[in-house]
Amino acid sequence: MKPNFDLSGRTAIVTGANTGIGQAIAVALASAGAAVLGVGRSSMAETEEQIADAGGRFASFSADLSTIEPVDAIVDAAVAAFGSVDILVNNAGIIRRADAIDFTEADWDAVMDVNLKTAFFLSQAVAKRMIPNGRGKIINIASMLSFQGGIRIPSYTASKSGLAGLTRLLACEWAGRGINVNAIAPGYFITNNTTALREDAKRSSDILARIPAGRWGDPQELGGAAVFLASDAAAYVHGTILPVDGGWLAR
Ligand code: NAP
């Protein structure tokens, strides 16, 4: 049997698709044939242009994911634009840096709300559409901090470790209903999220020294993993956290 990575006829929702990892994943899914609804609070014009250049289909929906208020409207928008919801990529995420001893409740709540709470309730909203169809794919963007502690990012580590657990729970509940729930755990990629790290000479060289591949990742290098997990080729893959990390976890 030839593995099938074709996403033609599928609709994907990608949160935070305006930049970085979300943009790269949106372009990869569209290049594999999916119609993509990009969801976020900033202009998606650049993503729209890249997808048009690749010959794909794209629409955008403006939503602030710091609350769960927009989740039903997001699903409705995908159905209105493209007729279905087959794939959800929970990519939108934030990070706040401070020593644990000084960390504030505001920085705890802000990160947990976007990275974990909205990811769960958006998954719930799409699953209500997917379950009657008997098919769907949910891909959570986890992190090395789904496996490790890190420093100075307590709410981020809690949210990404929580997202790994949630990925496994949802896989256990929904695998039998035809939904594949998995996660991608990116290593260290060049995006806005890691600007502070890359600008800190000591942290940057410590991180680089630990990456067997010897370089930071380019967000486009996550596209293949996303297409795989969104495709029929991953039909029997459930509840996995797939590292794409230049070998970081192997060291
Ligand atoms: P990024 O460039 O900062 O992208 C974050 C995305 O999330 C942006 O599109 C951002 O929109 C969106 N977002 C944040 N808060 C939002 C809100 N309240 N409502 C709507 N959208 C919101 O960083 P990135 O690296 O591509 O991050 C994408 C995901 O990958 C995150 O979940 C991050 O934790 C994860 N990750 C990144 C790395 C890495 O090395 N870069 C490693 C592991 C995991 P705005 O542009 O409007 O802020």
Side-chain angles (χ1 to χ4, degrees), residues 86-197:
D86 308 291
I87 300 158
L88 167 66
V89 181
N90 281 311
N91 165 77
I94 57 172
I95 193 164
R96 298 278 169 86
R97 296 178 194 278
D99 292 341
I101 203 75
D102 299 321
F103 211 75
T104 65
E105 184 179 4
D107 282 345
W108 179 269
D109 287 345
V111 171
M112 295 298 275
D113 283 349
V114 178
N115 295 14
L116 193 53
K117 185 175 178 182
T118 298
F120 171 68
F121 283 100
L122 189 52
S123 300
Q124 183 190 64
V126 302
K128 285 178 182 169
R129 296 269 180 172
M130 292 171 172
I131 287 171
N133 297 336
R135 114 181 161 191
K137 310 279 184 180
I138 297 175
I139 302 168
N140 294 320
I141 302 305
S143 166
M144 295 297 96
L145 288 316
S146 300
F147 303 98
Q148 301 176 309
I151 52 167
R152 307 193 70 248
I153 46 171
S155 56
Y156 188 80
T157 298
S159 72
K160 294 299 185 177
S161 296
L163 196 57
L166 186 62
T167 300
R168 290 187 280 262
L169 173 132
L170 295 179
C172 292
E173 289 207 18
W174 296 342
R177 322 283 293 265
I179 303 176
N180 297 80
V181 185
N182 291 290
I184 296 170
Y188 288 82
F189 281 76
I190 299 171
T191 69
N192 301 334
N193 175 290
T194 54
T195 303
L197 280 185

Side-chain angles (χ1 to χ4, degrees), residues 144 148 210 212 243 245-251:
M144 295 297 96
Q148 301 176 309
R210 202 203 135 140
D245 65 353
W248 173 275
L249 288 177
R251 178 149 278 171

